[in-house]
Amino acid sequence: MKKSSDLALGSWQFGPSHGFWTGSTTQASRLTISAAYKAGIRHFDTAPAYGNGLAEQLLGSVLSGKSAIIDTKFMPKHPNLVAQDVQKSLDRLKRTSVNTLYLHWPSSSRDLRPIMESAAGLIEQGKVQSLGLSNTPLSLVQRLHDLPITFLQIPCSLLWTRGLEEYKEYAEKQGLSLVGYSPLGLGLLS
């Protein structure tokens, strides 16, 4: 299992979406990524949903040829689309593999097992080192306990603590790493 760094730079702000980060510019995003890397941050979290792939493209262009831990996400509607969606992310990131691939905002009305089984196949192909679940209700996480899932990603800040103890307890029992995102509450705490 990979050793994850304690601090990562999220990239949602680099790809405006869902009404958030609409004032960000490509130039400011590139400067932020470069400054973070120069300051020693080597772990970056992204998703194709951030600006319809823009955040992945920016990370890929700035970090091309540099050593970094890069995690991304996917939201396919069918198991047959997982490999195709991940390859698009890899192309944007200019990488042959990602460290962690998270299922992003899964639907509770869809059977996640075949989707995650398809994602697990990418580990064997060397395109993904580990799997995670992001924003997944604990009841769904528990149904997938036998799959090679290593990370659970949840919002975690002074503003978002609901369910934290339950996730923490489950992660400890299952030997999973709990990953918090938006520690500054989308900037409200900064």
Side-chain angles (χ1 to χ4, degrees), residues 37-53:
Y37 195 86
K38 186 176 181 180
I41 293 178
R42 297 294 184 269
H43 190 169
F44 298 86
D45 179 90
T46 192
Y50 303 163
N52 198 25

Side-chain angles (χ1 to χ4, degrees), residues 11-175:
S11 66
W12 184 13
Q13 68 278 11
F14 304 147
S17 52
H18 308 291
F20 288 92
W21 321 115
T22 55
S24 67
T25 67
T26 299
Q27 181 182 6
S29 298
R30 288 180 188 279
L31 290 171
T32 301
I33 297 165
S34 294
Y37 195 86
K38 186 176 181 180
I41 293 178
R42 297 294 184 269
H43 190 169
F44 298 86
D45 179 90
T46 192
Y50 303 163
N52 198 25
L54 179 59
E56 288 180 326
Q57 288 175 340
L58 289 169
L59 284 171
S61 67
V62 175
L63 299 175
S64 181
K66 295 181 172 134
S67 175
I69 295 170
I70 299 192
D71 301 337
T72 195
K73 302 170 185 75
F74 73 110
M75 296 186 343
K77 296 180 178 15
H78 192 277
N80 293 345
L81 299 176
V82 175
Q84 175 184 329
D85 288 351
V86 171
Q87 188 58 55
K88 287 178 186 176
S89 288
L90 292 173
D91 292 345
R92 287 189 290 263
L93 290 165
K94 299 182 181 181
R95 303 269 167 175
T96 57
S97 69
V98 293
N99 294 82
T100 302
L101 177 66
Y102 288 98
L103 180 61
H104 199 192
W105 290 106
S107 169
S108 59
S109 65
R110 182 164 289 136
D111 185 4
L112 299 180
R113 180 166 294 281
I115 290 171
M116 290 305 291
E117 287 172 346
S118 183
L122 297 175
I123 294 173
E124 296 168 15
Q125 294 176 28
K127 293 185 178 200
V128 172
Q129 291 179 14
S130 58
L131 295 178
L133 298 169
S134 181
N135 301 302
T136 306
L138 197 52
S139 60
L140 293 178
V141 172
Q142 291 167 335
R143 288 187 221 157
L144 302 172
H145 70 90
D146 59 322
L147 294 175
I149 295 165
T150 309
F151 295 94
L152 297 178
Q153 188 181 60
I154 62 170
C156 184
S157 74
L158 294 174
L159 299 176
W160 294 319
T161 59
R162 185 178 47 165
L164 180 59
E165 286 304 314
E166 291 86 358
Y167 277 97
K168 184 178 173 188
E169 183 179 313
Y170 182 80
E172 287 175 358
K173 282 183 183 176
Q174 298 296 320

